Structure formats: C-alpha cells, structure tokens
Amino acid sequence: MTTTRRDFIKKTAAVAASIMMSPLPVWARNSLSLGELQIDTLHDGHLVLPGDFILGPMPQEELLPILQRYHLSRKSLSPECNMTLIRDGERTILFDVGSGSGFQPTAGKGLEALEALDLEPDDVTHVVFTHAHPDHLWGLLDDFDDPMFPNATHMIGKTEWDYWMDPNTVNTIDASRTAFAVGAQRRLEVIEDAITFFKDDEEILPGIASRATFGHTPGHMSFEVRSGTDSVMIVGDAIGNHHVAFERPQWQSGSDQDMEIAAKARTMLLDRIATEKMQLIGFHLPNGGLGRAEKTSDGYRFIEEDAS
C-alpha cells in the first residue's frame, strides 16, 4: 500500500500524541443550529501579542480604565483564535484555516479542532477567507507545502487577493509586517489555479453573503449567514477584540493596516449587528467567539453566548 504525504503527517501526529499520553483537547468551542445549517466554532489556540500592536495608537489615559475593567495587561495580550465551520448536509465550509505550524507555538491547533468533530481535512469542501493575515491563512499548506484541504474549493475576495499577490506589497507594507506579505504570497501561489473570487454583497454560497469590511486589510470581508429571519455575522478581524473594539469602536487600532477605514467599518458593523439583534462570531473573541453586541450609552458591549 502506498503511503501518501498526508498519511505520513497523520501517523507522525498520532505517534507524538501517544508519547505525550494525554487526551485530545476539546477544541470545538460552540455549536448552534441556524435552520438547516450546523455551525461550530473551532479553537485554533491563541496568540501572544505586545500590547502596542493593538493599543499603541489609542488615547492612553482613557484606555487604562477599560483595560482594568477587563483585567487586561497593557504590556501583552493573548487573544484566542476561532475558525468557523458550517455544514449544510452537502457542504462542509471552513472560514479561515488558522496559523498552521509556522506562526506562533501557541496557535495552529486547527487539525485537532477538526478531529474533535470527527472530521479530517479531506472532508472540507470549501475554504472561505476573511483575509490573508498569518493567523487566518498560514494553515493553508501542510508540512510538505501541499494544500492542507485538497478537496476544497478555496474562495477569497478579489480585492484581498490582488493586494497580497501584488509584487509591490512586500515593499509598501509596514516593515514590521513584511513577513506577512512574503508568507501570504508564497501560500496563495500554491492555489492560484484553483481559487474562486468574489466581491462585496455576493451570495458566495447558499445562504452566505459577503460583506465588505475593509481596513484591517485592504480587502477584509465579513460574512452574513442567513436562514429565514435568523442570521449570524462572521466578522473575522473587523471586530478584533471583546473590550476596546466594542467600547470604543471609533478608536484606531494598531492591528489594522488602514486604521481610519477599519474604525469606520467596525462602527458600521457593530451598529448593524446591535440594531438587527444578530448573533456574531469573532475570530479573536473569547470562549469560541459567539455572542451579540449590545448598545450602551457611549459604545457597545460584547454579550458572550455559549450555545454548545
């Protein structure tokens, strides 16, 4: 019997797990039903970021009491990472692919998350990207630089694709993110002949529509998932945390590539989610990322929901 590269990776992972002699973590965090759709959030681990990466541009005196309310350090933040999986009986759709093994050691747990749901990469029929930052894209390839999801149709906004595939991006992006540009282009080139593009306000799959939330990256997309009168907004990094992004969405965040445009997109998105009483799933929101946005006198509040 021929041993494929993917078989080799699976066997290696199994050996490592047996050596550790520890049970498989339950990486699937939240589950909910939306009509005929089954939606799960999959925990990909967490990041460790210097506080300035997000908080640097903000008014520091006004920021401090917010951080104190959430028991957060100004020096370092550790946002979790949540991929979203949707199954409709025909399709298994994964939104973003996590960090893989090449970004931060605390992240890249996506394969364990799938295994917790008795799924393998070969079961995924569609991969949809919110954007192409490392923690959302670098899990695209396996350790042999082959596509991790070989049977999937890969989908990305055309504006986002054009930005990362532009050879000038590596020279024009902030110097601290040069590796982001190099890594994105190297990975996206592998699926260049098999990618499907979409634009704003398109129904990219049945019941799933793209919503432009540019700013975090030049082509960042959120996705409205709807069944009848019920809906969920997959916001990616358009709403990047559960504290300042909600309480002061108009503040510029250092994590956004175009901070001004991103702040406008975040404010618009929160207003719609709160007004329409939609559920939302955020890639970096806590405990699986599922919740709602509640309007307050001077901002919004993240209301966490545990639907599992």
Side-chain angles (χ1 to χ4, degrees):
M1 181 174 61
T2 302
T3 300
T4 66
R5 290 179 175 184
R6 194 168 304 280
D7 290 336
F8 175 80
I9 292 172
K10 289 174 62 177
K11 290 177 181 178
T12 302
V15 170
S18 65
I19 291 174
M20 292 174 66
M21 296 297 290
S22 60
L24 178 71
V26 181
W27 294 109
R29 285 294 184 91
N30 291 121
S31 297
L32 66 150
S33 297
L34 193 72
E36 299 298 317
L37 304 179
Q38 172 66 33
I39 304 176
D40 298 279
T41 66
L42 309 181
H43 190 53
D44 193 50
H46 69 275
L47 304 181
V48 179
L49 302 173
D52 275 346
F53 183 77
I54 295 173
L55 307 174
M58 299 178 182
Q60 298 300 302
E61 289 187 6
E62 297 176 60
L63 171 66
L64 183 59
I66 296 176
L67 297 181
Q68 290 174 340
R69 278 199 295 276
Y70 291 88
H71 307 290
L72 296 171
S73 166
R74 173 63 181 80
K75 295 181 179 180
S76 179
L77 297 171
S78 299
E80 69 175 71
C81 302
N82 306 294
M83 301 177 294
T84 301
L85 187 81
I86 296 180
R87 288 172 284 180
D88 64 3
E90 296 182 17
R91 287 164 285 266
T92 298
I93 308 160
L94 183 64
F95 290 81
D96 295 328
V97 294
S99 298
S101 59
F103 187 48
Q104 290 194 5
T106 55
K109 313 299 182 183
L111 295 184
E112 295 174 56
L114 283 173
E115 188 176 345
L117 295 179
D118 294 323
L119 294 172
E120 296 185 0
D122 291 358
D123 296 322
V124 176
T125 62
H126 295 79
V127 169
V128 181
F129 293 105
T130 60
H131 65 296
H133 275 168
D135 50 329
H136 298 253
L137 176 74
W138 284 17
L140 178 65
L141 306 180
D142 64 22
D143 291 339
F144 295 95
D145 282 349
D146 290 327
M148 180 62 75
F149 305 95
N151 299 328
T153 298
H154 292 75
M155 310 179 74
I156 193 170
K158 187 64 165 61
T159 301
E160 185 76 356
W161 173 273
D162 288 345
Y163 173 75
W164 294 106
M165 295 302 286
D166 184 342
N168 290 322
T169 294
V170 70
N171 300 315
T172 57
I173 198 170
D174 185 273
S176 64
R177 303 182 193 225
T178 300
F180 290 14
V182 174
Q185 188 170 117
R186 181 175 75 81
R187 288 164 176 82
L188 292 174
E189 283 176 343
V190 175
I191 59 170
E192 187 168 9
D193 294 333
I195 195 78
T196 298
F197 301 117
F198 54 84
K199 296 181 180 179
D200 182 28
D201 285 331
E202 286 189 19
E203 186 177 47
I204 65 168
L205 290 165
I208 301 173
S210 57
R211 301 291 184 235
T213 44
F214 297 171
H216 182 70
T217 61
H220 185 286
M221 287 285 186
S222 299
F223 300 94
E224 183 176 351
V225 184
R226 183 168 291 277
S227 178
T229 59
D230 296 324
S231 60
V232 175
M233 188 73 79
I234 300 171
V235 303
D237 283 4
I239 305 172
N241 58 69
H242 65 293
H243 37 89
V244 186
F246 279 81
E247 293 211 15
R248 298 293 184 272
Q250 72 276 17
W251 284 0
Q252 295 188 2
S253 170
S255 63
D256 297 325
Q257 290 186 223
D258 189 318
M259 293 184 284
E260 182 177 353
I261 292 177
K264 291 178 180 177
R266 181 165 50 250
T267 303
M268 172 275 297
L269 191 60
L270 279 167
D271 180 68
R272 181 180 176 194
I273 290 170
T275 299
E276 298 186 16
K277 302 185 184 305
M278 300 173 68
Q279 290 180 295
L280 67 93
I281 298 172
F283 193 88
H284 292 303
L285 301 184
N287 298 320
L290 176 65
R292 297 181 184 271
E294 181 181 85
K295 190 80 172 72
T296 65
S297 60
D298 53 1
Y300 299 85
R301 180 185 298 113
F302 177 58
I303 306 299
E304 184 179 316
E305 293 188 356
D306 183 1
S308 57

